Amino acid sequence: MSADTVEKSTTPTVPTQRGGRRKPPLSENKKAERKLGLLLCAPAALVMILVTAYPIIYSVWLSLQRFDLRFPDQREFIGLDNYVTVLTNEFWWTAFGVTMLITVVTVAVELVLGMGLAIIMHRTLVGRGLVRTSALIPYGIVTVVAAFSWRYAWTPGTGYLANLFSDGAPLTERASSLAIIMLAEIWKTTPFMALLLMAGLALVPEDLLKAASTDGATAWQKFTKVMLPVMKPAILVALLFRTLDAFRVFDNIFVLTAGGNETSSVSMLAYNNLIRGLNLGIGSTMSVLIFITVAIIAFIFVKLFGTAAPGSDDSERR
Amino acid sequence: MAVETTTRAKLRWGLLDVLVVVFALIPVLWIASLSFKTPATLTDGNFIPREWTLDNYKTIFDTDQFVRALINSIGIALIATLIAVVLGAMAAYAISRLDFPGKKLLVGVSLLIAMFPQVSLVSPLFEIERQLKIFDTWPGLILPYITFALPLAIYTLSAFFKQIPWDLEKAAKMDGATQGQAFRRVIAPLAAPGLFTTAILVFIFCWNDFLFAITLTSTERARTVPVALSFFTGESQFEDPTGAICAAAVVITVPIILFVLFFQRRIVSGLTSGAVKG
Amino acid sequence: MADIVLDKVSKSFPDGTVAVQDVDLEIADGEFVILVGPSGCGKSTTLNMIAGLEDISSGELRIAGQRVNDKAPRDRDIAMVFQSYALYPNMTVRENMAFPLRLAKLDKETINRKVDEAAKVLELTSLLDRKPANLSGGQRQRVAMGRAIVRQPKAFLMDEPLSNLDAKLRVQMRTVVSRLQKQLGTTTVYVTHDQTEAMTLGDRVVIMRGGAVQQVGPPQELYDHPRNLFVAGFIGSPSMNFLHAAVQDGGLHTALGEVPLGDRVRRELESADAPRELILGIRPEHFEDAELVDDDTRRRGMEFEAPVDIVESMGSDKYVYFTVEGEKASAAELEELAADAGAADFAGAGGNLVTRLSAESTVAEGQTRRVWFNLEKIHLFDPGTGRNLTLHEGRAAGALAD
């Protein structure tokens, strides 16, 4: 033992700086800082609010009117009639069911596949760069392009997959169409899920895994008892973003089935009412309903998050 | 023994790697393969073309429909990216460096917008843009793109900015730099990679969009490639548009592949840092 | 030529907190002054005010006789070494060191010459083309120093420059810093929370607590004649032992026995508002194994018996920890010191006595041992104010002084 080890402070610490710097500076400076902060944020905030908040309010207003662009003269205020029309319409509920089904199935499958992919990307001994690069391709590729690839793959005569299961055309039957839509969704978005999960994996301390190994944990136990708890916030973030994203499914359905054979999602239905039907009233009503549904889903997730919600980390600023 | 296990482990990981690569690449290779097939072999169901041709590419670059859409896509995505990154960088700087009221609110709003169902905006924006006379124009698409790219830009850039050792700014001042010099010569070079990464992510987002592009455009004036693809129908000179669609699809996939190949590391770090720490 | 004068310099925040209060300090040209204190004592804020990185709320700061309160850092001609080193990661070592010179618009040749000179002094010549990321901690530290010395500023400011190094390297760099400062003769203000650095490096040490200066003086003076409980506890490693002492019949009742008092201390304790309870402070080296003390020495102190807890042999001497019964000394300063050091490191106020005995002592763990301590070297503190009652005209004279 040397004299140094008896020294009062051999460990480097930084607290002194914090003591002085964290406190707010002079009031003049403080005012200037506030002003600058608001000034810098104003454009972004303004754009975001103008392009979302105003339209969604306007959308509520439109949804309370009969407003068909083909018959603009019949435009009038009709209260909640549009909501009654939509909510009693079986197409809406079919689309809603399809959307929910796609959301639940794809997110569940993606969670499992994404976790596997995340582990591969994070821990693989060989070709890490290759795996990461390949995995990014589905993330980056234009959804419509991928959708066409799947469509032609399953088109009888053209595709290499078309005759895999039956002689029929898979994209003309409801069950197989939905399965293909989900396959396309899963292919496209699993990498994103995996990236979010990988960020969580990186937070698992290597020492913790070693400690678990010496304590006699099996690989599965390490995964469930050590990794999962640490990754929980990352998993919740990934689930939240993917769930809300999956709920908006549109591109794949548009290209693969165009909503035929009762494979429309709510987004598809809203689009059809607006662009094909030119019915702004009904379209807006669906917009509002989708917004509310998403808000409910988000609310449930944020409740689950508690303080782990992204953006609540202001304390570690600077 | 130890050597054996590592070789075996490597083999196992290698197999998994191959699985991932195949899973990721097959749809891309398939559409590329289709784009090189001649009309005669297009429907043979073969994964690899028996006869190769570049005719499909010639066709699409000869049609105004595609070229116009490509120009639209590039122009709109670039402008939206530029604006979103500039606005996002301003806000992210404020969030990561300054103390001001409403900061939490801004972070919250961006989070909400990241989760916002874009289809809900389709009807009102359709109507609003018609009234503002920006329906079916570049600005009509740029505006919603900026809006939905901003949360991404703000989160990613805040995460990057938080990593910059801001002590350097002080050090530069002590070394005799003015505020401007400190920014230009010390901070800006450090912030550049973050800005670049964010720009790539935002560009990919804009490039990918289909919903806004199909609802807020009606003619070739502002139609982007993904939408144009879905409107490629058998025109008089070519009945079956498959080959043309595939060629066009490959063309708009090339930039993405290039980004991914050259900037894999940056994209991964951008996506992961923004998502978890944001 | 540059002296630095702080004239009633204060720093306060709008919410009313005062980070630095009326600091008066005259730093002579070429002097090496250390600001030391626990975290949050205002030492870094003081340094930043000298640098110009933080505004001065009131008071005046003069560098080379010139008021610089409102001058930007770049106009003060002082260099700073940061705790994080703050090396520009996008520049090579050479570019880092040349940066201040380039900003000063020197010609290329001069810049190269100066950088080469500085690099030679700090043994960085072979590293000039590397980026900071490829350097070790010690090398980065030297680059940071190099960037400071290359422009020959009026003064160096160093903000805990060694605290990110490991213990061994820190000791090494301590001598490097010290030698460099003497070589260049540049006025230096050095902030640290490490009292060993403070003791070994500075011409003078400024001890701060809660934004106020506690005592200023050469290290040895602070060690031998601490003005108050805080200074006494902060300086010294292992730290001074503190024991509860009750004033009784002209003497002191302590866990080590009845301590006699000299006339002067007694007179002081006779005044009406004098405390009835005191804190007795003894440094570890003022104890000795009673067997090894000659008669002459024995008369200057007193003895007690206590069970030996732990013996740490250092070779040159032995650190022996005794368990003592009795009430613990308590004062706000002691709690603060304990909190700063981490309770484990600061044994001073506990039931443990840390002593430094001669290596020849045959003391062993588990024994009960007779120990002598020097009454001329003890300090008595008022627990309420922390004042050192044994201090007379700035000199500590022990308990027995007449």
Side-chain angles (χ1 to χ4, degrees):
Chain A
M1 198 180 200
S2 76
D4 277 307
T5 49
V6 199
E7 273 178 26
K8 213 181 269 172
S9 43
T10 39
T11 45
T13 50
V14 283
T16 24
Q17 303 196 323
R18 244 189 276 142
R21 285 182 204 151
R22 227 223 244 123
K23 282 169 198 153
L26 272 179
S27 59
E28 309 266 304
N29 278 351
K30 176 91 183 153
K31 258 188 217 159
E33 190 180 332
R34 284 172 164 229
K35 208 172 141 195
L36 181 65
L38 289 174
L39 219 65
L40 286 175
C41 287
L46 219 63
V47 171
M48 288 196 289
I49 288 168
L50 274 186
V51 182
T52 56
Y54 173 65
I56 201 74
I57 293 164
Y58 186 66
S59 182
V60 173
W61 167 241
L62 285 177
S63 73
L64 300 175
Q65 304 177 31
R66 175 183 300 137
F67 191 3
D68 193 324
L69 286 175
R70 286 168 304 182
F71 315 104
D73 301 343
Q74 293 175 12
R75 183 175 177 174
E76 63 171 324
F77 187 83
I78 53 166
L80 293 174
D81 277 8
N82 280 331
Y83 289 88
V84 175
T85 311
V86 172
L87 290 174
T88 54
N89 182 300
E90 73 177 290
F91 285 117
W92 165 261
W93 288 111
T94 310
F96 193 83
V98 165
T99 312
M100 281 309 232
L101 178 78
I102 292 175
T103 304
V104 171
V105 173
T106 56
V107 171
V109 174
E110 279 169 26
L111 182 62
V112 176
L113 286 183
M115 185 67 85
L117 182 55
I119 292 174
I120 294 175
M121 289 195 293
H122 188 65
R123 304 199 75 89
T124 183
L125 298 171
V126 279
R128 180 173 302 182
L130 177 73
V131 174
R132 291 188 179 190
T133 306
S134 321
L136 276 180
I137 286 176
Y139 162 79
I141 211 165
V142 177
T143 315
V144 172
V145 168
F148 270 113
S149 175
W150 291 114
R151 185 170 118 186
Y152 293 135
W154 295 98
T155 303
T158 310
Y160 60 103
L161 294 172
N163 300 321
L164 213 55
F165 301 112
S166 65
D167 295 334
L171 283 171
T172 56
E173 283 158 42
R174 186 170 188 229
S176 50
S177 298
L178 283 176
I180 292 168
I181 290 168
M182 288 191 249
L183 171 70
E185 278 281 299
I186 290 167
W187 178 81
K188 164 86 179 134
T189 48
T190 297
F192 182 66
M193 183 77 129
L195 283 171
L196 296 190
L197 294 176
M198 193 172 78
L201 267 181
L203 299 178
V204 180
E206 203 60 30
D207 283 352
L208 213 60
L209 294 175
K210 283 187 194 152
S213 295
T214 39
D215 290 344
T218 62
W220 178 249
Q221 281 169 327
K222 272 194 280 184
F223 178 68
T224 53
K225 305 268 190 225
V226 181
M227 286 159 73
L228 280 187
V230 179
M231 291 177 68
K232 198 178 152 205
I235 294 174
L236 283 173
V237 171
L239 280 181
L240 171 66
F241 277 95
R242 271 305 304 144
T243 304
L244 297 181
D245 197 35
F247 197 81
R248 316 188 266 219
V249 55
F250 178 78
D251 307 13
N252 271 319
I253 298 179
F254 190 98
V255 173
L256 284 167
T257 66
N261 307 311
E262 299 190 329
T263 53
S264 271
S265 67
V266 284
S267 295
M268 197 66 213
L269 204 61
Y271 165 82
N272 275 336
N273 271 285
L274 179 73
I275 302 300
R276 301 252 160 90
L278 290 176
N279 193 329
L280 262 181
I282 295 288
S284 298
T285 306
M286 289 178 175
S287 293
V288 173
L289 287 172
I290 294 168
F291 178 74
I292 292 169
T293 314
V294 164
I296 291 170
I297 298 176
F299 180 77
I300 293 169
F301 267 102
V302 171
K303 273 271 156 195
L304 285 176
F305 275 130
T307 52
S312 62
D313 69 334
D314 285 45
S315 52
E316 52 177 319
R317 187 174 64 86
R318 288 189 193 180
Chain B
M1 184 68 200
V3 177
E4 241 173 9
T5 31
T6 47
T7 339
R8 265 181 52 194
K10 271 189 182 166
L11 214 69
R12 216 173 47 219
W13 283 117
L15 273 175
L16 285 170
D17 291 353
V18 170
L19 206 69
V20 172
V21 174
V22 167
F23 173 74
L25 291 187
I26 278 196
V28 184
L29 294 177
W30 166 241
I31 204 149
S33 151
L34 281 180
S35 76
F36 290 115
K37 285 185 178 181
T38 57
T41 57
L42 197 59
T43 52
D44 62 3
N46 240 30
F47 195 88
I48 298 163
R50 292 208 177 104
E51 294 169 40
W52 295 73
T53 174
L54 286 174
D55 281 355
N56 293 318
Y57 292 91
K58 281 193 198 111
T59 316
I60 55 166
F61 278 106
D62 280 343
T63 56
D64 222 26
Q65 203 184 359
F66 176 73
V67 176
R68 179 71 218 197
L70 192 61
I71 293 169
N72 288 341
S73 258
I74 293 171
I76 290 171
L78 280 182
I79 295 173
T81 302
L82 183 73
I83 299 176
V85 169
V86 169
L87 296 189
M90 283 159 59
Y93 177 84
I95 287 174
S96 57
R97 289 279 292 150
L98 304 175
D99 201 12
F100 61 96
K103 181 154 87 176
K104 276 202 151 163
L105 188 73
L106 182 77
V107 173
V109 167
S110 344
L111 184 66
L112 282 182
I113 292 188
M115 304 188 297
F116 201 91
Q118 290 155 5
V119 69
S120 288
L121 289 187
V122 160
S123 311
L125 274 184
F126 177 76
E127 180 60 12
I128 292 168
E129 293 203 348
R130 274 186 341 127
Q131 284 165 11
L132 293 176
K133 307 263 186 276
I134 55 169
F135 179 77
D136 198 23
T137 63
W138 280 22
L141 279 183
I142 290 172
L143 207 58
Y145 286 0
I146 295 172
T147 307
F148 284 95
L150 268 176
L152 180 70
I154 291 175
Y155 275 105
T156 318
L157 285 171
S158 309
F160 273 115
F161 286 173
K162 277 176 193 164
Q163 289 168 2
I164 293 181
W166 294 94
D167 249 8
L168 292 180
E169 203 179 38
K170 283 187 187 171
K173 281 187 197 165
M174 294 306 301
D175 282 343
T178 60
Q179 180 82 42
Q181 284 172 320
F183 178 78
R184 226 177 33 249
R185 304 179 72 158
V186 175
I187 297 301
L190 294 179
L195 289 172
F196 184 69
T197 306
T198 309
I200 292 180
L201 294 179
V202 169
F203 184 88
I204 290 178
F205 168 81
C206 300
W207 191 248
N208 194 347
D209 172 79
F210 181 64
L211 181 64
F212 286 122
I214 199 169
T215 45
L216 299 179
T217 62
S218 59
T219 66
E220 286 177 13
R221 211 151 67 126
R223 213 173 252 166
T224 58
V225 179
V227 179
L229 278 187
S230 71
F231 282 113
F232 271 13
T233 43
E235 277 176 44
S236 52
Q237 72 257 54
F238 47 99
E239 270 292 277
D240 181 14
T242 307
I245 288 177
C246 291
V250 169
V251 170
I252 61 167
T253 306
V254 168
I256 301 292
I257 305 259
L258 291 180
F259 283 151
V260 168
L261 278 182
F262 289 111
F263 308 116
Q264 175 258 119
R265 227 173 262 272
R266 285 176 191 281
I267 296 175
V268 169
S269 76
L271 280 171
T272 49
S273 66
V276 167
K277 289 178 207 138
Chain C
M1 297 302 259
D3 58 329
I4 300 173
V5 178
L6 284 81
D7 190 355
K8 296 232 174 316
V9 166
S10 297
K11 172 83 186 175
S12 51
F13 294 118
D15 61 356
T17 49
V18 178
V20 173
Q21 200 172 10
D22 292 335
V23 170
D24 280 315
L25 192 60
E26 292 190 16
I27 301 166
D29 181 36
E31 198 180 11
F32 196 153
V33 166
I34 312 276
L35 301 182
V36 68
S39 28
C41 72
K43 56 188 192 292
S44 281
T45 311
T46 307
L47 192 75
N48 282 338
M49 285 193 286
I50 299 175
L53 294 170
E54 272 189 72
D55 293 335
I56 296 169
S57 307
S58 67
E60 195 171 84
L61 173 69
R62 291 187 292 273
I63 297 177
Q66 227 188 348
R67 181 189 148 98
V68 294
N69 282 39
D70 305 317
K71 280 198 173 175
R74 60 193 301 257
D75 300 322
R76 296 188 188 193
D77 191 22
I78 42 187
M80 187 154 167
V81 179
F82 291 82
Q83 183 181 9
S84 61
Y85 314 141
L87 301 182
Y88 310 118
N90 50 323
M91 303 182 194
T92 62
V93 170
R94 177 181 288 281
E95 287 165 338
N96 260 285
M97 287 170 60
F99 188 66
L101 301 177
R102 271 169 49 207
L103 288 172
K105 301 219 158 57
L106 294 186
D107 63 273
K108 233 178 172 170
E109 221 165 280
T110 321
I111 292 178
N112 277 337
R113 184 170 46 79
K114 288 192 170 202
V115 170
D116 287 335
E117 272 169 30
K120 209 166 153 195
V121 172
L122 288 160
E123 294 168 28
L124 288 168
T125 310
S126 60
L127 306 173
L128 279 175
D129 294 321
R130 292 215 205 153
K131 289 268 173 80
N134 303 324
L135 300 177
S136 71
Q139 291 167 338
R140 282 179 212 184
Q141 213 286 327
R142 293 211 303 269
V143 177
M145 303 272 299
R147 197 173 60 189
I149 65 169
V150 74
R151 47 188 270 234
Q152 293 154 320
K154 283 189 190 138
F156 295 138
L157 306 181
M158 306 197 182
D159 191 356
E160 310 211 18
L162 306 183
S163 62
N164 279 351
L165 301 175
D166 63 50
K168 201 171 169 188
L169 206 53
R170 201 179 322 165
V171 175
Q172 252 173 42
M173 282 310 293
R174 223 155 60 195
T175 59
V176 173
V177 171
S178 181
R179 196 178 309 132
L180 202 62
Q181 201 272 340
K182 288 203 176 69
Q183 227 171 48
L184 302 168
T186 308
T187 316
T188 302
V189 185
Y190 185 110
V191 162
T192 179
H193 65 267
D194 180 348
Q195 63 92 26
T196 314
E197 270 174 34
M199 290 295 285
T200 50
L201 278 175
D203 297 326
R204 277 195 304 157
V205 176
V206 180
I207 299 193
M208 294 185 72
R209 173 188 174 225
V213 172
Q214 301 292 302
Q215 192 169 354
V216 184
Q220 197 63 44
E221 185 181 312
L222 299 186
Y223 188 84
D224 291 337
H225 313 291
R227 194 183 289 166
N228 60 32
L229 191 54
F230 184 80
V231 175
F234 192 81
I235 295 285
S237 171
S239 56
M240 190 184 274
N241 294 288
F242 295 107
L243 297 157
H244 177 263
V247 182
Q248 243 169 31
D249 313 323
L252 286 176
H253 179 74
T254 74
L256 306 183
E258 302 299 320
V259 175
L261 290 176
D263 283 346
R264 216 183 54 223
V265 178
R266 206 176 309 165
R267 267 201 306 279
E268 191 136 2
L269 289 174
E270 272 162 8
S271 67
D273 56 346
R276 306 316 298 160
E277 321 242 292
L278 299 179
I279 289 174
L280 171 67
I282 318 173
R283 293 217 181 267
E285 65 270 30
H286 297 137
F287 292 89
E288 186 52 281
D289 188 336
E291 281 178 8
L292 302 173
V293 178
D294 59 50
D295 288 345
D296 205 31
T297 316
R298 199 181 302 272
R299 269 195 296 281
R300 285 189 272 143
M302 58 176 279
E303 288 169 26
F304 66 95
E305 271 187 3
V308 177
D309 197 11
I310 294 171
V311 177
E312 292 173 351
S313 186
M314 297 293 169
S316 57
D317 37 35
K318 284 184 168 127
Y319 285 116
V320 184
Y321 297 76
F322 291 93
T323 316
V324 289
E325 304 292 322
E327 210 175 318
K328 286 186 176 173
S330 70
E333 286 91 338
L334 295 182
E335 275 166 36
E336 202 177 311
L337 287 166
D340 183 56
D345 284 344
F346 191 75
N352 246 345
L353 207 59
V354 187
T355 68
R356 195 167 124 196
L357 309 182
S358 297
E360 300 93 79
S361 171
T362 56
V363 64
E365 283 168 20
Q367 287 178 335
T368 295
R369 195 77 181 181
R370 199 159 176 79
V371 182
W372 170 92
F373 65 96
N374 191 344
L375 281 173
E376 288 173 1
K377 297 288 189 185
I378 68 175
H379 303 271
L380 294 170
F381 301 96
D382 178 343
T385 61
R387 193 167 68 90
N388 187 348
L389 301 173
T390 41
L391 208 64
H392 182 64
E393 286 166 359
R395 287 273 165 286
L400 299 175
D402 293 323

